[in-house]
Amino acid sequence: MFLTLSALATGASWLCYFRALQLGQASKVAPIDKLSVVLVTLFAVVFLDERLSLQEYLGIVLIALGVLTIALK
């Protein structure tokens, strides 16, 4: 059941992503999509009590800074 729900959510996500690309500029849509990596990690830390190493925190910070750099350009 969870595998099916995951597949449906992934399909819906891709449909929304491609629709956003049709409506907006790729340079504005792609950074928002990449921000999902940061959000998933933060949710895992907050809600699932995941423990990250210093290197992993640094990676998340660098991804977030990269997204902001591209989005604000």
Side-chain angles (χ1 to χ4, degrees):
M1 178 178 84
F2 287 115
L3 187 58
T4 302
L5 291 174
S6 175
L8 291 173
T10 301
S13 171
W14 278 101
L15 289 174
C16 291
Y17 179 68
F18 286 119
R19 181 67 177 150
L21 285 174
Q22 287 178 338
L23 297 174
Q25 298 175 350
S27 63
K28 301 294 181 193
V29 173
I32 294 170
D33 178 55
K34 298 310 172 204
L35 194 59
S36 67
V37 174
V38 176
L39 293 176
V40 165
T41 306
L42 292 176
F43 288 157
V45 169
V46 172
F47 296 114
L48 300 176
D49 203 30
E50 292 277 336
R51 302 284 180 224
L52 301 180
S53 68
L54 182 60
Q55 185 178 10
E56 291 166 330
Y57 276 115
L58 180 61
I60 294 302
V61 168
L62 290 174
I63 292 171
L65 288 174
V67 167
L68 290 173
T69 300
I70 293 171
L72 297 176
K73 204 170 189 188

